Amino acid sequence: MIRVMLPAHLRNLASVDGEVLVPVEGPVTQRTVIDALEACYPMLAGTIRDHVTQKRRPFVRFFACGQDLSHEPLDALLPEEVSGGREPYLIVGAMAGG
Amino acid sequence: MSRVRVLVGTRKGAFVLESDGKRQNWDVSGPHFGGWEIYHLKGSPADQNRLYASQSSGWFGQLIQRSDDGGKTWQPVGNKFAYDGVPGTHQWYDGTPHPWEFKRVWHLEPSLTDPDTVFAGVEDAALFKTTDGGQTWSELPGLRGHGSGPHWQPGAGGLCLHTILIDPSNATRMFVAISAAGAFRTVDGGTTWQPINRGLRSQGIPNEEAEVGHCVHRIAMHRSKPDVLFMQKHWDVMRSDNGGDSWTEVSGNLPTDFGFPIDVHAHEPETIYVVPIKSDSEHYPPDGKLRVYRSRTGGNEWEALTNGLPQRDCYVNVLRDAMSVDSLDSCGIYFGTSGGQVYGSADAGNTWSAIVRDLPPVVSVEAQTLKG
């Protein structure tokens, strides 16, 4: 299971507290984690990635293991700490608004 | 006994205001969806407890929420608004082609007869429809595709479809308005559309009387007279007596004919209301006085309604979807301001009081008259 931390507004939307655990079969990439997250919590579809383009929303960032993965390829493997469940994959609402 | 529910959308959440028929004491619930922009909420005329809300944010995009219990609880429903086929382009501010991109839902208009059918007006301007209570949405592509779509250009607030009117006598006839394209009509349930802007004149566009390109801010209709339409344009208050085939100006003695909302008394089809705003760059009332203007003659002759409204140092705005009427015997009228006040009048505008004063900036106000 992959640990995922959501921003507060999306935790409220999904009616969850704290981290969520999502099952990923096969390679653990940003795409497969988000696919699994949306499968578990369908109400999150469209909030992290645009429904049509499937691109990351501009004010959403992806972090793990102290790294900003927002501009990394979605199909690149995530660090072993994430795929092994020792570190969470962080979906973050970017600081914005001045 | 009848009750009234007022649905308020703000920049940071939704609020539900409820009162008995006297409309003196109000219960306020909210914020619902705190921190999110709520462009619009509206109840189904066919089921007073079925509500729909447009929820969006710059971070997480668009959501649609549905309530089946009058706003006590909500469930997210479908939020995929994909343009039909290859979306193509409209004009950007500089006149260059710009790809059609979905941004948000401005207005939700439930069917008059089916709680599961709702129309959604979106930015970039298009009309969507659900027939399954919001789970799935499909574009009615004939609007963008009728020919002038590639020439539409956004107004300062974006290229938004903000008004949807359904003819109560013929549900296949509908009217929509788009900033800054103009007004459009369908007579076949949304398959085909035609512009209905003859008689509009807009300074600042190359052809002041162009078929499209007018910044229509709002249209309103009384259910007993669906051929009579009232319009608050960027500048000018207009009326049509032939379902939009032609328009005539009825600004009359208004202190300024710029503004956003326009609405019609629930029982008097020729009594209409506007909120004059000083100008398109000064989005506040003239002279610091918040005045609703009422015409009992369908326009041209207007009276200022001031009793209970601030008459000094008031510099708020009232947005296009932020005025609504109830249908109790003594018609109630409500509007919300950019300063977070929601004002109500239980006597058709003669006297006003603030129901709430300190909400986030108000984007939309919808009144529901509840039975039982």
Side-chain angles (χ1 to χ4, degrees), chain B residues 1-6 16-19 21 44 47-49 51 70 326-328 367-372:
Chain B
M1 183 178 181
S2 294
R3 296 173 54 82
V4 174
R5 181 189 295 142
V6 178
V16 179
L17 322 178
E18 286 202 30
S19 177
S44 164
D47 177 354
Q48 64 186 23
N49 284 323
L51 311 180
D326 70 33
S327 59
L328 292 179
Q368 283 184 286
T369 307
L370 307 177
K371 307 296 183 211

Side-chain angles (χ1 to χ4, degrees), chain B residues 195-209:
Chain B
I196 48 167
N197 301 301
R198 189 174 302 141
L200 304 187
R201 295 191 64 191
S202 300
Q203 294 179 354
I205 63 176
N207 173 3
E208 292 186 0
E209 300 177 76

